Amino acid sequence: GGGGGGGTGAGAGAGAGGGAGAGAGAAPSSTRLVNEHAWVSEQSDVAMREVCRDYGSMWTTASATLDSRHYLACENMYNLYTCRRDPNAVTDDERRRLEFVGGFHLGEHVNRFREGSLVMRASAASSGSISSLTPKLVFGCVSGMLGVVASVNHDEFAVLSRLQAAAIKVLQGVGDMPYNPWRKFVTSSRADECRNFIDGDVVESILDMSRDDAERVWAEATAMYGRNGGGEAAAPAAASVGGASMELPTVLSSASAMLKYVEEVSRLCH
């Protein structure tokens, strides 16, 4: 799953579907995350039965279903996190355990997730979009902030993560505050680096940069594929990293292509 700090967001592995809130679902066999427990409602008027849980308990303030195996929640120290269940695990204990797979410090108290997006639009596939990013959830915070959680495929997550890392190198943080420690997932019982989330605000900030800074971001991002782009000249179709060939995505073929792609990502989430 994925989240954006008040803006767009993308996460690897988020699938179709989604639900908000706690309690029994109105439809048969609906899955919900309730206080870090995944439950299955056999019927809307019958008590739920527990199918798995996260044993690293946290004070959950809001939760949602991303798909039949992945769940998104926020807890009272203002972190978003995702858990995954494995119904095909070998032992009963493994099947009943929710695995923590991603964390992100949002810095806001989320009290509601709702399925949907901020505006109505055609799907990325039907509209001929160059991005697979698809808004799944809208969340509301105590402060009044609204945010969007979107799903993205694995290959595009790799592109976005490189753009985010490159933008962080170029951006000047407020008060020179380092970015990565701020986004680190920290609770009273668990600490983990931010992972499997993309900060949409950081990616979108590329659109507000000067041309020179945007080209620096592009050069940094292409360097992560094994070659420093340098300037507006188009990068090669493939690069070698540690003896292995890595194909450079079309959306990073030039600084102009990168900006067009980021504009599309922004459009899909707003």
Side-chain angles (χ1 to χ4, degrees):
T8 64
S29 298
S30 59
T31 304
R32 293 291 184 266
L33 187 74
V34 184
N35 294 333
E36 303 166 31
H37 295 56
W39 306 77
V40 172
S41 173
E42 302 292 353
Q43 297 178 23
S44 59
D45 59 347
V46 176
M48 297 177 293
R49 67 179 176 86
E50 180 183 327
V51 294
C52 58
R53 67 167 65 191
D54 176 15
Y55 288 91
S57 60
M58 290 175 279
W59 191 287
T60 303
T61 62
S63 58
T65 300
L66 295 172
D67 60 28
S68 61
R69 296 180 58 192
H70 296 89
Y71 311 96
L72 172 70
C74 186
E75 52 82 59
N76 68 332
M77 294 188 72
Y78 312 146
N79 298 296
L80 296 175
Y81 65 98
T82 51
C83 291
R84 176 176 60 201
R85 64 182 291 251
D86 184 3
N88 300 316
V90 176
T91 67
D92 289 340
D93 182 64
E94 290 173 334
R95 285 192 293 270
R96 291 176 59 83
R97 185 179 298 274
L98 281 172
E99 178 189 4
F100 180 92
V101 293
F104 177 88
H105 181 68
L106 180 66
E108 294 280 352
H109 182 112
V110 177
N111 60 359
R112 187 68 166 170
F113 290 105
R114 291 297 298 268
E115 183 179 0
S117 59
L118 293 177
V119 294
M120 298 295 292
R121 64 173 59 85
S123 67
S126 63
S127 63
S129 172
I130 58 176
S131 172
S132 69
L133 189 143
T134 306
K136 294 293 183 183
L137 300 168
V138 176
F139 61 84
C141 302
V142 172
S143 66
M145 187 193 86
L146 295 177
V148 174
V149 178
S151 68
V152 68
N153 65 37
H154 184 271
D155 290 341
E156 191 166 353
F157 182 87
V159 173
L160 288 168
S161 63
R162 285 165 171 79
L163 287 177
Q164 173 179 277
I168 290 170
K169 289 185 177 181
V170 175
L171 285 171
Q172 185 71 29
V174 177
D176 290 330
M177 182 177 180
Y179 175 86
N180 290 327
W182 164 248
R183 291 303 187 194
K184 187 175 181 179
F185 181 95
V186 178
T187 70
S188 58
S189 61
R190 173 181 282 166
D192 200 352
E193 296 298 325
C194 172
R195 57 189 172 101
N196 290 333
F197 280 84
I198 297 293
D199 188 337
D201 284 348
V202 170
V203 175
E204 281 192 314
S205 70
I206 298 171
L207 299 176
D208 298 323
M209 293 180 181
S210 67
R211 183 68 185 192
D212 288 345
D213 283 345
E215 290 198 0
R216 285 176 58 200
V217 170
W218 173 72
E220 289 282 355
T222 56
M224 296 175 196
Y225 283 91
R227 175 189 183 274
N228 191 336
E232 178 61 21
S240 178
V241 179
S245 179
M246 295 180 62
E247 184 177 353
L248 192 69
T250 304
V251 295
L252 294 181
S253 61
S254 68
S256 296
M258 176 196 71
L259 290 171
K260 181 180 179 181
Y261 168 68
V262 175
E263 287 175 355
E264 179 70 359
V265 167
S266 178
R267 181 188 69 82
L268 288 171
C269 276
H270 289 294

